[in-house]
Amino acid sequence: MKKFNTQPPSSTPFKRITYAVLAIVLVVMAGCSGLRLAYNNGDTVLYWWLNAYVDLDRDQKGWVREDIDKLFDWHRKTQLKDYVEILRTGQKQLQGNITQADLMADYSEIKQRTQALLLKAAPELAELARSLKPEQIAQVEKKFKSNNDDYRKKYLSGDQDKRQKLRYKKAMEQFELWFGSFSSEQEAIIRKASDARPLNNDIWLDERMRRQQNVLGLVKKVQQEKLGKEAATALLTTLIKDSFERLEHSEHKAFFDSYEASTAQMVLTLIKITTPAQKAHAIKRMQGWIDDFNSLAAQPK
């Protein structure tokens, strides 16, 4: 089962570009009756999202749109068939005896696919970094601050129980998209598994802000040293790879490892208590996506 988002909100603009694409494919459309329509308009959604961060000027708008179109064209041609295989594996796992090791392996695969998508976009992101003006960098900083303020209000307010409830609610929203409704008895079991996960949103905020500063540092270095595309791409490629390895070398590694393992255990617990009808609901949903992905991959935009 590779479709569950197990991480709290903690990202950078560059990672968010990738997550925006993946969200359009694997999360947002879980609640959308028109998957193909949503995907076909994903490039526009991504453009407006990026514009909200950078406030693109007249010169940037045209080639940024072209770069996003090319990224989606590549994604359509090379990635959607892989998503079909992901979903087919998920169907088999639901019908078999899935283990926590399976879930951890699935999560590792998702991270690899995410990194591949970011690395594919690195040259275009480097060009964007090279084109940014001081007021646009200031706009990114302002957006970061606003996002962090929102994060504090949502995830750092209230007591421990309030934060546990919020996290459980977010998890259930995803689970219900896949499996349909749950009984009160099932919900109690899931809530217990959710609460068993370590909770420290201050650590996630610290990690979030660290990544933001890394991005801002990169952009400012590109501007100050007037780096060419090749040098800027190399710098960005290193940042992307380091960001994926960061948690393995963090002073909070024990927390991150425990969170990942306990989240996999929560998903496993949920799968074990689902009824045949609930599993059939998820398998049917997956099949609908398989059909849509195959159709999307076969058609030109």
Side-chain angles (χ1 to χ4, degrees):
M1 294 294 296
K2 305 176 176 64
K3 283 68 60 181
F4 295 110
N5 175 19
T6 62
Q7 297 286 6
S10 178
S11 56
T12 67
F14 295 151
K15 273 198 169 185
R16 288 287 295 274
I17 288 173
T18 302
Y19 295 152
V21 176
L22 294 178
I24 290 164
V25 179
L26 295 177
V27 179
V28 175
M29 293 185 295
C32 178
S33 60
L35 184 152
R36 278 175 272 188
L37 177 63
Y39 187 86
N40 285 332
N41 286 281
D43 51 355
T44 300
V45 173
L46 179 54
Y47 170 82
W48 287 112
W49 175 88
L50 183 61
N51 189 49
Y53 265 88
V54 178
D55 192 15
L56 298 165
D57 63 27
R58 183 178 300 178
D59 292 334
Q60 293 166 328
K61 288 179 178 179
W63 59 263
V64 167
R65 281 189 180 274
E66 291 179 4
D67 286 345
I68 291 174
D69 286 344
K70 291 176 182 177
L71 179 63
F72 266 80
D73 184 57
W74 168 83
H75 190 267
R76 181 191 298 272
K77 292 177 179 177
T78 67
Q79 303 300 295
L80 295 188
K81 289 292 186 180
D82 290 342
Y83 293 167
V84 168
E85 294 308 312
I86 289 174
L87 290 164
R88 285 175 175 161
T89 298
Q91 288 178 320
K92 293 177 182 177
Q93 289 176 332
L94 279 179
Q95 297 175 82
N97 186 27
I98 189 171
T99 66
Q100 184 166 341
D102 292 330
L103 293 171
M104 297 295 284
D106 293 343
Y107 178 53
S108 178
E109 182 180 347
I110 285 293
K111 288 195 292 186
Q112 292 173 10
R113 291 175 185 277
T114 303
Q115 185 182 57
L117 181 54
L118 266 174
L119 292 174
K120 174 65 178 177
E124 289 72 27
L125 290 170
E127 280 289 81
L128 179 59
R130 293 180 66 229
S131 77
L132 293 180
K133 298 174 176 60
E135 59 269 23
Q136 291 177 312
I137 297 175
Q139 166 68 15
V140 173
E141 291 188 89
K142 182 179 179 181
K143 184 69 171 174
F144 280 160
K145 183 180 183 304
S146 175
N147 289 347
N148 292 339
D149 288 344
D150 289 342
Y151 182 95
R152 291 185 183 94
K153 290 177 183 177
K154 186 171 184 179
Y155 296 103
L156 295 180
S157 65
D159 58 17
Q160 186 84 347
D161 184 61
K162 179 181 176 181
R163 298 180 189 185
Q164 293 277 30
K165 287 180 180 178
L166 176 61
R167 185 173 62 167
Y168 164 73
K169 181 179 178 181
K170 288 175 66 66
M172 286 302 295
E173 287 172 355
Q174 293 190 50
F175 295 151
E176 288 170 350
L177 287 172
W178 287 99
F179 294 97
S181 61
F182 292 89
S183 69
S184 57
E185 291 81 6
Q186 288 174 316
E187 289 178 355
I189 294 171
I190 299 168
R191 173 65 192 269
K192 183 177 180 180
S194 176
D195 288 355
R197 296 178 290 168
L199 179 64
N200 192 326
N201 291 340
D202 290 287
I203 288 180
W204 290 115
L205 177 60
D206 177 73
E207 190 63 29
R208 176 193 189 100
M209 295 175 66
R210 187 192 301 263
R211 291 176 177 178
Q212 291 169 347
Q213 290 306 309
N214 287 342
V215 170
L216 288 170
L218 180 147
V219 170
K220 291 176 181 178
K221 180 180 178 67
V222 168
Q223 290 294 318
Q224 292 167 359
E225 299 183 12
K226 300 186 185 306
L227 298 182
K229 182 176 181 179
E230 184 175 347
T233 300
L235 199 64
L236 182 55
T237 297
T238 298
L239 184 148
I240 291 169
K241 291 180 178 178
D242 286 349
S243 72
F244 279 84
E245 298 173 1
R246 156 72 189 155
L247 300 189
E248 292 299 315
H249 307 288
S250 167
E251 63 273 24
H252 301 299
K253 184 178 186 303
F255 169 80
F256 295 131
D257 287 348
S258 177
Y259 186 90
E260 185 175 304
S262 59
T263 298
Q265 181 59 49
M266 176 186 68
V267 176
L268 181 64
T269 297
L270 174 138
I271 293 172
K272 295 296 186 183
I273 66 172
T274 51
T275 66
Q278 288 169 327
K279 287 186 173 70
H281 184 283
I283 291 169
K284 182 178 179 180
R285 177 176 289 278
M286 291 180 197
Q287 188 59 49
W289 283 24
I290 287 171
D291 295 342
D292 281 341
F293 284 145
N294 280 328
S295 177
L296 284 164
Q299 72 182 51
K301 183 179 177 184

